[in-house]
Amino acid sequence: LSVVGSSMVASASDELDKSVGADFIIEPDNGVIKPQVEQAVKRAKHLEHVSDYKLLENATITTPDGKKVKDDLDAASASYAKDLRSPVIEGTLVDAFGKNAIGVPEGFAKDHKVALGDVLSVDFKEGGTAKLTVRVITSEDTAFNKGAIYLGVDTAKDYIKPDQMPQNLMMFAAAKEGQDREAYKSLKAELTTYPDVTVRDQADYKKLLEDQIGQMLNLVYGLLGLAIIVAILGVVNTLALSVVERTREIGLMRAIGLSRRQMRRMIRLESVVIALFGALLGLGLGMAWGVTAQKLLALEGLKTLEIPWPTIGAVFVGAAVVGLLAALVPAFRAGRMNVLNA
């Protein structure tokens, strides 16, 4: 799971660097961005542009072959094409946000035989029907907005009444050249009175991804801690039984000159060998499983494999420590054994 977690973080960071052009991402903690928050964002200084991003749910799309498909639409400002560098198969992404235009993913295009220049009829759940021309077919080889259907906010406003228009789900902003720090401070200042809205730059967003995956791993590590307690008891029982079964052997070795200290050391080393053998077996199987899981995640766009060597090293060293701790009682009993009785 550490392999999977590290690979997810590394892949998401790489994808963020490659795909996200926006300097700042503005998100509400819950729900949508209120109009007053939207105005506050647009008042911030040192910004080159601000992009709206709305979700139009359950729109009905009539394809050229007459089929009706229900799907969600991503309505955004034209500048969103700079904020998210989505790979395309045909056309140009910015064209999807033009007047009466729409962009569809390659999977949708293949399933419904949609080509560049085709006209789709879109019935919005909020009311209004639009005839939109396909201006771009986007690639699904991405982890962000995979399979999204795009259109411009201005196009949506032509067919949806203002009181029916959904609020922004999130917003994006880009700073003017060389003014990133000033723009970040200005955005923070404007949104001080709205604690339920968070402004993040790309570094913050990467940290958020790491924290989310870290929380999942911490839960797993907690369960692992319980498993380690059971493992320690297992090693203690194994060694204790070994000491009892080898009573005569221990007595004989003590009789020919093995000291109590050397006897305790021998038991401890046996315990460490047991623990390290288990650790090697577990790490080998775990890394194989982690690499396999990462290959599956690669199908969703998370293509970077990262092996957490520090964690693996810590686990191996920790296993040796666990082995030493598990040997304390059996080693003490073997050292205290009466030589003649044994």
Side-chain angles (χ1 to χ4, degrees), residues 35 50 55 59 61 75 95 99 113 123 138 174 182 223 241 293 321 331:
V50 174
L55 186 65
I61 303 171
D95 293 339
K99 185 75 170 176
K113 297 180 174 58
D123 294 312
T138 56
E182 293 84 351
L223 297 174
L241 183 61
V321 174

Side-chain angles (χ1 to χ4, degrees), residues 84-342:
L84 186 74
R85 295 185 287 266
S86 184
V88 300
I89 302 298
E90 292 182 82
T92 306
L93 186 61
V94 70
D95 293 339
F97 304 105
K99 185 75 170 176
N100 291 327
I102 192 170
V104 298
E106 59 178 323
F108 183 94
K110 287 178 182 177
D111 291 344
H112 303 288
K113 297 180 174 58
V114 175
L116 211 64
D118 285 351
V119 176
L120 305 180
S121 178
V122 179
D123 294 312
F124 297 102
K125 183 188 73 171
E126 296 81 8
T129 301
K131 300 287 185 181
L132 306 179
T133 304
V134 177
R135 296 297 185 192
V136 65
I137 297 175
T138 56
S139 170
E140 295 187 354
D141 185 20
T142 178
F144 292 100
N145 279 15
K146 184 174 182 177
I149 300 175
Y150 297 114
L151 76 157
V153 169
D154 292 338
T155 296
K157 287 179 179 177
D158 289 341
Y159 300 96
I160 300 175
K161 295 178 181 179
D163 59 335
Q164 295 293 318
M165 178 65 74
Q167 300 299 327
N168 282 328
L169 199 62
M170 57 199 310
M171 296 178 75
F172 300 86
K176 292 179 181 178
E177 188 71 28
Q179 300 182 33
D180 298 47
R181 188 174 299 177
E182 293 84 351
Y184 191 37
K185 288 181 180 178
S186 180
L187 276 170
K188 287 279 192 181
E190 289 289 347
L191 296 175
T192 302
T193 54
Y194 304 103
D196 58 330
V197 178
T198 305
V199 180
R200 295 185 180 92
D201 59 13
Q202 291 202 20
D204 293 336
Y205 210 75
K206 288 178 183 178
K207 182 69 167 56
L208 175 66
L209 293 173
E210 289 177 8
D211 290 345
Q212 288 176 340
I213 294 171
Q215 288 175 3
M216 177 192 74
L217 289 178
N218 287 337
L219 176 62
V220 175
Y221 290 150
L223 297 174
L224 178 62
L226 296 176
I228 287 174
I229 293 173
V230 175
I232 291 174
L233 294 175
V235 175
V236 170
N237 288 336
T238 300
L239 291 172
L241 183 61
S242 174
V243 168
V244 171
E245 289 175 339
R246 294 155 59 191
T247 299
R248 290 184 177 182
E249 177 191 332
I250 291 170
L252 178 60
M253 287 191 293
R254 288 293 314 282
I256 62 175
L258 190 70
S259 68
R260 289 183 177 181
R261 184 177 180 183
Q262 289 172 320
M263 173 58 65
R264 288 195 292 266
R265 184 187 302 157
M266 184 182 77
I267 300 298
R268 286 198 298 268
L269 288 176
E270 283 186 24
S271 178
V272 170
V273 168
I274 292 171
L276 291 183
F277 180 80
L280 277 174
L281 185 63
L283 288 171
L285 291 171
M287 286 180 67
W289 184 89
V291 171
T292 304
Q294 188 276 326
K295 296 299 181 187
L296 292 175
L297 290 173
L299 301 176
E300 299 298 321
L302 300 175
K303 298 180 179 180
T304 303
L305 172 65
E306 182 162 305
I307 306 296
W309 295 113
T311 300
I312 290 172
V315 167
F316 197 68
V317 172
V321 174
V322 166
L324 285 173
L325 293 175
L328 291 178
V329 174
F332 179 77
R333 288 184 60 186
R336 293 295 297 272
M337 194 175 289
N338 185 286
V339 178
L340 295 179
N341 289 340

